[in-house]
Amino acid sequence: SETHGITFRIQITMKELLDTDVLLKLLFCLPVNYPSVLPDISVNSDQLTRAQCMDVKDKLLEQAKKHLSEPMVHELVLWVQQHLKYIIRQSTAVCSEKTTLSRGAGTEDGVWILFLHLDHMRAKAKYVKTVEKWASDLRLTGRLMFMGKIILILLEGDRSNIKEYLILQKTSKVDVDSSRKKCKEKMISVLCETKIQPQHARFQTFEVKDYSTIEELQKEFEAAGLATLFSEFVPPLLK
């Protein structure tokens, strides 16, 4: 589109890596002013750990900076094919050190909160399972909340992981359309994205919960120190 540019996926199968075949899933989101601006990149693989995927993403972004102002996606794909095994070996060797540094960086940047409103879920079971997996992979806590026809997602975590969740939410085929064909989420609203405040009580886990009344839903927000967030964004959804 004129505002969001182009998004596409590339899947690479690396043979006999780590004594098994590795399917690497790359997601490139190219803004309208690409290649003058770096693309957003997401890396996923069922055969790699989340930390390893994040390392691959970081290395790809480093390479992307070297190709700024020139088409780069093809070069990045070739580069990762040639260097993936070395990145994984390095990631494994310094795993504990990277975990410590990652926690330090997350503390410095602070914990962020993301509040989303979904219009509907046609394939609810699959959709819920996908959201739970993303939250787990990205180490996000919070709630997926159902109250009548209202569907809300409240997430807490490191800002970089919050942003990656948003990319996945907006670009993955998580639901089905009226013809039961897989489709992307087009009816999502970002109600709030902000740094968490000291008075907020952190969620310890990610849970899927149903509420029978608006009062029950309100108590969930109040218990987390998010009464203001509730009063500002939820009542308008009831109209």
Side-chain angles (χ1 to χ4, degrees), residues 127-140:
Y127 205 133
V128 168
K129 186 176 180 180
T130 299
V131 171
E132 287 180 313
K133 184 179 186 305
W134 287 344
S136 175
D137 288 347
L138 294 168
R139 301 185 297 278
L140 301 175

Side-chain angles (χ1 to χ4, degrees), residues 3-5 11-12 14 25 51 57 67 116 124 141 147 157 159-160 164 168 188 194 198 207 210 213 225 236:
T3 56
H4 296 98
Q11 295 192 161
I12 307 169
M14 307 291 287
K25 304 171 185 177
K57 174 185 173 180
H67 297 279
L116 305 173
K124 182 177 178 179
T141 60
M147 204 288 295
R159 191 178 188 186
S160 60
E164 185 161 354
L168 290 170
I188 185 173
T194 185
E207 298 178 24
D210 286 274
T213 66

Side-chain angles (χ1 to χ4, degrees), residues 117-121 145-152 237:
H117 172 240
L118 303 182
D119 184 74
H120 62 270
M121 286 184 181
M145 301 175 281
F146 296 91
M147 204 288 295
K149 294 183 178 180
I150 295 178
I151 306 171
L152 303 169
L237 299 176

Side-chain angles (χ1 to χ4, degrees), residues 1 13 30 33 64 102 106 139 146 175 192 208-209:
S1 70
T13 300
L30 309 186
N33 44 358
S102 176
R139 301 185 297 278
F146 296 91
D175 206 0
C192 182
V208 180
K209 301 185 71 171

Side-chain angles (χ1 to χ4, degrees), residues 212-236:
S212 57
T213 66
I214 192 66
E215 287 76 20
E216 286 183 12
L217 183 61
Q218 184 174 359
K219 288 180 181 178
E220 182 80 74
F221 280 80
E222 291 175 348
L226 298 171
T228 301
L229 192 72
F230 175 89
S231 62
E232 183 175 354
F233 295 105
V234 178

Side-chain angles (χ1 to χ4, degrees), residues 106-120:
T107 302
E108 182 179 349
D109 194 37
V111 178
W112 280 63
I113 189 167
L114 176 67
F115 192 28
L116 305 173
H117 172 240
L118 303 182
D119 184 74
H120 62 270

